[in-house]
Amino acid sequence: MSSAARSLSEPQVLAHTKRRLFPDEDESTAYAVADTQFAMAEWLPGQPVDPAVRDRLAPFNHVRIGSGYPDLVGVRDLESDLLAVERLGDEPPLIAIEAKGETSGGVDTQRGILQAYDRLHEANAAYLAAPAAAISETDRTLARELNVGVLGVDAAGSVDPLEVPRVVGNRTTTEATALRFQASAQGVADASFGLNHPKNYLGYPLAHYAAGDTGTLLSEYKVVSAVDSARQGAAFLGLIEEGVDVEGSAGVELTSLGEEVVRFAMGRYGSVEAALAEFENWYRSGKRFADLAPAWGQLARRVLFDYEATALLVHELQCMHEDGFAEPSLVAVVDYLHGLHPSFTVELFIRGTDGVRSRVLTEDGELRPAALEDSSVYHSPTVFQLKAMLYHAGILTQRGAEPSRLEPRADVWALRNPV
């Protein structure tokens, strides 16, 4: 342990490190959370955390990786100066960071290295982040031997890689899956589902495949006027893939699932244009889609089950039914799921903005039951849009509701056909 005086607290070290490793909050394939202990108003008694530091570290979650909870965990393709190998396989690496700052006893760098090493049981890369002046040659030697990266942080906020780790493969746990889920195209970031009817997303690959401008066709056939939201939701459901074409402009390609939607439409109607014409019959209909158009409802069900969150929800709602919870409320569902899949539940249901998670979660990542009764803490794309689609596909008994109209204890999440 180094006993030299340092000017950087652990939250400050971590905030600078997050800015270096996860600089772009809008990067579509990156996502990171700081541990819930950093959401507290004081880091140590009498040492308040600067609100700007907390804002930089948000969102918060308590994610178990290895035998403990890293200070920061995320998914991102890091730059080559931060990793000895840029990528392992097709997915960006899962990264765990242990931060150490000034305390009355100095900076415990060696403990941080050993904690980071423990995370390599499940993470692809792990780092110690600490004040640069506190990192000794002995620390660097130990880190090299254990394949732990070392990041030196100075008071001005610069973060320099002093030791660069190799990317390693490992098994994937449910906790790690929660972070990968958020970082994928099928995460539940604020820009996920903007529409609450599955037909709006099924229509997008058809309009894209048909001759003509996609947005114009969606409007002309009265599928949906919110073209950007339809495109965004179609991407989240895995119907299309957004990328860059050969000329450098943004492009859209159908996925294999999107192509299957087109095949379904052509098989039933002979052409995608004829299939799109059918959508006008459903315009502004409030009837459950699975009852209004059974074949399309089954297709919507198939698409929704390809969305990772659906399978988890349905499985656990079935378990709740078997345990005697025939019509569980939203509060009961979140509480039940959190006991089994804590990180995933927080990412799926609880907003990551405006200090919400610090109100919902304790320093140890436990739920505050009273906070779950506040409708404003819930993630609208889950409790409104996703739930409404599960209703229309014939999976749930009730529609979703916007948080402003939500009554968490009265909002029922029950399977329409439990087995």
Side-chain angles (χ1 to χ4, degrees):
M1 177 186 293
S2 169
S3 59
R6 308 299 168 207
S7 60
L8 286 168
S9 69
E10 193 165 314
Q12 291 172 320
V13 168
L14 196 62
H16 292 317
T17 302
K18 184 182 179 185
R19 184 180 294 108
R20 175 69 170 86
L21 270 59
F22 299 90
D24 188 353
E25 295 180 354
D26 296 325
E27 191 174 341
S28 61
T29 59
Y31 184 73
V33 294
D35 189 68
T36 47
Q37 63 180 317
F38 293 96
M40 302 301 108
E42 289 188 344
W43 175 245
L44 296 173
Q47 296 184 20
V49 178
D50 187 335
V53 170
R54 283 206 310 275
D55 288 345
R56 179 62 197 168
L57 291 175
F60 303 97
N61 204 342
H62 200 49
V63 183
R64 187 179 181 89
I65 303 292
S67 65
Y69 300 86
D71 294 329
L72 183 72
V73 58
V75 177
R76 181 172 178 258
D77 280 322
L78 297 181
E79 291 78 11
S80 58
D81 63 332
L82 291 167
L83 285 177
V85 177
E86 293 185 27
R87 190 159 182 162
L88 182 72
D90 295 329
E91 293 183 325
L94 181 71
I95 304 151
I97 296 99
E98 293 294 342
K100 295 299 174 186
E102 176 192 0
T103 68
S104 58
V107 183
D108 199 346
T109 50
Q110 290 192 14
R111 182 167 181 262
I113 292 169
L114 294 175
Q115 288 175 320
Y117 174 67
D118 173 78
R119 312 306 177 233
L120 285 176
H121 292 297
E122 292 171 12
N124 299 118
Y127 295 84
L128 161 73
I135 299 168
S136 68
E137 285 300 321
T138 301
D139 294 330
R140 295 181 61 170
T141 299
L142 176 62
R144 280 197 302 273
E145 291 175 350
L146 298 179
N147 190 32
V148 168
V150 177
L151 303 172
V153 183
D154 67 23
S158 295
V159 179
D160 295 317
L162 305 180
E163 297 295 335
V164 180
R166 302 181 308 278
V167 177
V168 298
N170 50 51
R171 61 190 178 90
T172 299
T173 64
T174 301
E175 298 293 84
T177 298
L179 274 296
R180 290 202 180 280
F181 174 71
Q182 273 286 33
S184 73
Q186 291 193 338
V188 287
D190 289 332
S192 53
F193 298 121
L195 305 168
N196 58 11
H197 202 301
K199 75 173 181 63
N200 299 322
Y201 304 125
L202 293 175
Y204 195 93
L206 302 183
H208 173 75
Y209 184 84
D213 177 72
T214 302
T216 300
L217 291 170
L218 288 172
S219 179
E220 287 180 352
Y221 285 105
K222 293 189 176 180
V223 179
V224 62
S225 58
V227 176
D228 289 343
S229 291
R231 173 174 170 160
Q232 183 174 276
F236 269 76
L237 287 174
L239 297 171
I240 62 171
E241 191 170 63
E242 300 188 78
V244 178
D245 61 24
V246 292
E247 296 179 354
S249 59
V252 169
E253 291 186 1
L254 296 181
T255 62
S256 57
L257 187 60
E259 290 174 346
E260 192 59 27
V261 172
V262 171
R263 293 189 188 98
F264 170 86
M266 295 178 69
R268 289 185 65 85
Y269 300 96
S271 70
V272 290
E273 289 80 8
L276 285 167
E278 181 75 4
F279 278 66
E280 189 171 349
N281 297 325
W282 310 324
Y283 185 62
R284 291 187 175 177
S285 172
K287 189 174 181 180
R288 188 196 293 266
F289 193 44
D291 298 333
L292 180 67
W296 284 93
Q298 286 298 314
L299 179 63
R301 191 182 188 108
R302 159 73 178 87
V303 169
L304 283 167
F305 258 97
D306 214 54
Y307 182 63
E308 186 174 353
T310 301
L312 182 143
L313 279 171
V314 170
H315 174 76
E316 298 303 348
L317 289 175
Q318 175 64 41
C319 291
M320 292 188 77
H321 178 82
E322 294 168 1
D323 290 343
F325 299 95
E327 293 190 326
S329 69
L330 173 59
V331 171
V333 168
V334 172
D335 184 60
Y336 183 92
L337 286 176
H338 189 266
L340 299 169
H341 315 284
S343 299
F344 203 103
T345 302
V346 170
E347 297 301 333
L348 187 62
F349 282 96
I350 307 302
R351 290 170 51 213
T353 56
D354 302 327
V356 166
R357 292 189 182 174
S358 61
R359 289 193 282 125
V360 173
L361 299 172
T362 68
E363 180 178 349
D364 296 323
E366 298 299 319
L367 292 174
R368 303 182 196 272
L372 297 180
E373 299 183 18
D374 180 359
S375 63
S376 69
V377 307
Y378 291 100
H379 191 59
S380 179
T382 297
V383 300
F384 181 31
Q385 284 89 354
L386 177 59
K387 189 186 179 191
M389 289 193 290
L390 295 175
Y391 164 82
H392 277 295
I395 297 171
L396 298 184
T397 61
Q398 293 188 9
R399 302 171 189 267
E402 295 179 4
S404 61
R405 297 188 295 108
L406 185 66
E407 296 182 11
R409 285 207 172 275
D411 187 53
V412 173
W413 286 66
L415 295 177
R416 190 185 189 193
N417 302 115
V419 296

